[in-house]
Amino acid sequence: MERASLVQVADNDSGVRRRLSLDGVWQFRHEDGPWREAHVPGPWQAQFSDLVDTSGRAVYKRSFALPEGWGTQELALQFGAVSYFCEVLLNGQAIGSHEGAFLPFEIVLPASALKSSNELEVRVTMPSADQRAYPDYPFGEVPHGKISWYGRIGGLWQSVALEARDPAHVESLVITAGTDGVAHVELGTSAAANGKPVQLSVLDAGGNVVAEAGVTAGASAAASLRVANARLWSTDEPSLYSLVVNLGTDKRIETFGFRTIEARGGQILLNGKPIYIRGALDQDYYPDGIYTPPSLEFLEDQARKAKHLGLNLLRCHIKVPDPRYYEVADRLGLLVWTEVPNVANFTSASARRMRETMEGILKRDRNHPSIIAWTLINEDWGTRLMENAEHRQWLKDSYDWLKAEDKTRLVVDNSACFPNFHMKTDLNDYHYYRSVPERRQEWDDITAQFAGGADWTFSPLGDAERTGDEPLVVSEFGVWGLPDPKLLREEDGSEPDWFETGSLWGDGVALPHGIEERFASLDLHRTFSSFDGFIENVQWYQFMNLRYQIEEMRRYSSIMGYVITELTDVHWEANGLMDIERNPRVFHDVFAQINTDTVIVPRPERYSAYAGETLAVEVTIATGGKALPDGATLRWSGDASGSVVLAATGPVSTTSPQALKIDLPAAGESRMARLDFTLEAGGDVVARNSCDIALYSRRDTSALPTIAAADAALATYARGLGYSVVSAEQADIVLCHAVDGADVEVMKAGGRFLILADGTVETNKNLRTDMPDGELPHRSIVADGKKFRPSLDQHLPGISLVERDGTIWRGDWIAGFSWIRRDGPFANIPGGPIFDLSFSGVVPHHLLTGFRPWEFGSNVHAGIVVGWVHKPAAIIGEKRVGRGGVVATTFRLMREAPGADPVAAALFDALVMATVELPVDR
């Protein structure tokens, strides 16, 4: 529903309040700094590069003239939100103060302080964590949300206005409207309005009066208005009505919708019907204003893009947004899940502040039909549920309080992640991050356990109140892509201030500044052709991850939805479906094929195959809120074709036909094969998806190089692939898992070694099983009471071995981009350059370090960079050692029988050839 279809009240209507906007240029001073001009609304951190991420005290000043005729009315100075504490002075007289960063407040101006021309002064305090400097409200004890992540927010970040109204006016309005078409109204008015008649009218979108009632104003007044054949509010049809409250001396209009939301029987029901949640986390941050959206049109554009992506919900993350955010969601049909901004330290004062914040949210926002859920705590931030029974009881009590206050929405106690949990909740939601293919099996295992009602989502301490039918929602998951930096820079080429933030997150990999320089220094253009090609590849990598993870969740009918992290990038955090400027990723126009109500989930027995093989593919059809009728047809085309007819399937269910047997093309070079699936019902295509298979040509085992392998398992594996295993003297190369001093001597004399450093052999955290004798003098040194550590990177062949687990290379929230350069011996590996799902069985658990930046375009054939192109490491690398050399890899090639995994076999062949081609000096 667009704005034009909503009821508008003319400015000359009787009882309409008059407003004078005080937005615009104010005089501003931070601490003892210079006076300068600041724009309101907007935090000072967004406007002055020298004040980025500053706390402290600031003063805002501006003057205004009182409009003619306003002197006889009650005048209220209204602030949308000020962070964090403020004192307000009018013409030098203190008239009020307010604490809290997110909510509106007003100060009625005393007539004695007013003049024809007035000076307004607002003294703002944004506290730091220093309890001595800010004893009344230290930062850790105030609701702040992601201010602790992306930088401090201080100042007048929402609009300021002067309102003129009659002393007899409406103060509060609560509308409860369900599917029965009855709008229950609770009305609060000022003391001056007591006893006055109030006319209540419900208007439809066309401005027609569809229900009326009258009440008498008092401390509290209530009425019920029935609308015949009321149109319900939903994401597909966001039907809205307007309630007009006419007090004679005052008129207020509130938009609302008829809808219900409930959790019952493991399902989420919107208006009594099942709905599948397809959400995205929204931090509600903006490119220039940080906390402040640039315009209503910007919010509308963002919402339309969200719906284009297939989303039906935004989880507004631990921030209270600008009220226009909800108004847009109401009109355009987006569900919203809102959360109380967290504190860092749980005290009686911080608990009170969180309660007051939630009360303020209800007062301002409870009439919006788009809001369907509240969250009290995110990931145990501020509380310590595992070890503090008082916190656990407080959380249960807070859940009960909020459910009593608002029976029209779902309440989540703690939106949980490992290792915290729920206590009492309407939704059993959980967060977990794993990148694919790097940690695909972990993702599959965790999802299967969660879908099965895992006990680890609730308190194990005997004090949880679990019903057992709370709907399951994976409320955070996802992986990083990267935005195109060119689209984020100013017209003069300068970077936003936030480009130089992020260095303190993720072991330093979240720093954007210098990304192109790092890319160039690593010669990555040789792998990705260009920096633009790299950005495109990592965005498609993000899509591959999201598609696979959504597919896996949709395979389980017990999971009722998910929330992707996240709608947009936020400064250095680059896991958005759009960048912070709302520029789309490369997959923007295809994402809704997988992020939709009915989904086709193809699961081949593996994502690689040999030409001419028959590949088994299990297919699951997952429905959302809409059922699938009998006789729907699943078709596939591309590198194979066929169809199958399906039986009827109800909403939020799954159905799987018998596993498909796909005959793959029998000839041709190695390449990526594709299967395109469509689901047709009633003459319409209701779902699409595709599946990519790395198709390998049959191996030619004639004239293979000879191999020496002292390890029996390695020898057996090589023979299984058709290689002749001979003595070291006769062999073209030596195959091993690690080397010792004797092997190094062979290398130095001209030997070629291939090292499968897959972690199966214990080493000295490098490729050596022994300690070189030349290290002995240095290892005997004792300084400051400690022995020198061995210089492992100096041990030939000069390559260290690092286990990924427990490091930023592991592949959780911040992604690592693993690549293989398709040239030379590796030219025939299909796909690329970034690992796809076909690499699932060989993806390494270790990495190689000891390579210089200039080697990543030559001696490093496969590697990884993390985040904004940091922490480069090798997965395949070669080095000269004396007159010989070594090729080493951490790919896990021997997990299956020789040749069972085409990727493992092809990589082994390529590694052998790369080793044979090592230049030696004999």
Side-chain angles (χ1 to χ4, degrees), residues 434-438 443 477-480 540-551 815 835 837:
R434 300 294 187 274
S435 59
V436 173
E438 288 80 5
W443 174 267
F477 76 101
V479 70
W480 278 37
W540 281 118
Y541 168 83
Q542 182 184 15
F543 173 76
M544 177 192 71
N545 270 261
L546 292 173
R547 177 167 72 172
Y548 180 86
Q549 292 168 359
I550 289 170
E551 287 175 346
F835 294 1
L837 289 167

Side-chain angles (χ1 to χ4, degrees), residues 15-20 66-67 69-78 106-111 114 161-171 189-193 247 249-250:
V16 172
R17 306 178 188 196
R18 291 177 287 179
R19 289 173 64 83
L20 174 67
L66 196 63
W70 281 33
T72 60
Q73 292 192 291
E74 180 177 282
L75 302 178
L77 186 62
Q78 298 179 332
E106 68 174 30
I107 300 171
V108 176
L109 302 185
L114 283 164
L162 183 66
E163 180 178 89
R165 65 199 181 199
D166 195 277
H169 58 268
V170 178
E171 290 189 335
T189 54
S190 64
L247 190 59
T249 55
D250 188 34

Side-chain angles (χ1 to χ4, degrees), residues 721-838:
L721 289 174
Y723 288 89
S724 297
V725 178
V726 298
S727 67
E729 293 77 18
Q730 297 173 307
D732 295 307
I733 68 168
V734 177
L735 177 65
C736 57
H737 284 302
V739 296
D740 57 19
D743 296 321
V744 170
E745 292 303 314
V746 175
M747 286 184 218
K748 287 157 60 178
R752 297 182 175 97
F753 277 67
L754 171 57
I755 304 177
L756 303 187
D758 54 13
T760 56
V761 171
E762 185 174 353
T763 68
N764 295 318
K765 296 184 179 180
N766 55 15
L767 304 186
R768 295 286 292 267
T769 58
D770 64 341
M771 195 68 68
D773 292 339
E775 181 86 24
L776 287 172
H778 303 94
R779 285 190 289 127
S780 65
I781 296 175
V782 176
D784 193 21
K786 296 177 290 188
K787 285 188 176 182
F788 275 21
R789 290 185 177 184
S791 300
L792 302 179
D793 61 336
Q794 296 297 309
H795 301 172
L796 291 176
I799 301 172
S800 295
L801 184 66
V802 180
E803 185 176 0
R804 297 174 74 169
D805 197 22
T807 74
I808 197 64
W809 285 305
R810 186 170 188 242
D812 287 318
W813 164 55
I814 300 180
F817 307 116
S818 302
W819 51 266
I820 183 168
R821 190 169 54 255
R822 267 70 170 188
D823 63 5
F826 304 95
N828 293 324
I829 304 292
I834 290 180
F835 294 1
D836 54 49
L837 289 167
S838 68

Side-chain angles (χ1 to χ4, degrees), residues 73 121 225 256 386 421 439 501 524 855 904 912:
Q73 292 192 291
E121 179 178 336
L225 297 89
F256 71 98
M386 287 188 294
F421 41 70
R439 302 177 67 192
T501 67
L524 289 176
E855 294 185 273
V912 169

Side-chain angles (χ1 to χ4, degrees), residues 403-486:
K403 286 296 290 185
E405 287 290 317
D406 184 4
K407 299 179 176 63
T408 69
R409 293 180 175 89
L410 308 176
V411 175
V412 174
D413 58 341
N414 171 51
S415 195
C417 70
F418 299 110
N420 52 77
F421 41 70
H422 290 285
M423 296 302 303
K424 187 177 185 180
T425 184
D426 291 335
L427 297 177
N428 183 0
D429 73 314
Y430 222 80
H431 311 169
Y432 49 95
Y433 294 87
R434 300 294 187 274
S435 59
V436 173
E438 288 80 5
R439 302 177 67 192
R440 175 186 162 195
Q441 192 59 54
E442 286 186 44
W443 174 267
D444 291 355
D445 292 347
I446 294 169
T447 302
Q449 292 174 37
F450 181 68
D455 58 6
W456 38 257
T457 64
F458 275 77
S459 170
L461 301 171
D463 49 0
E465 297 182 29
R466 182 177 189 174
T467 65
D469 67 351
E470 296 91 348
L472 301 174
V473 178
V474 180
S475 51
E476 282 189 31
F477 76 101
V479 70
W480 278 37
L482 287 173
D484 184 346
K486 295 194 302 298

Side-chain angles (χ1 to χ4, degrees), residues 95 188 207 218 256 286 338 342 384 420 442 451 532 670 672 778 891:
I95 59 173
F256 71 98
Y286 299 94
T338 293
N342 66 286
R384 291 295 180 268
N420 52 77
E442 286 186 44
D532 289 345
S670 296
M672 296 302 295
H778 303 94
F891 276 122

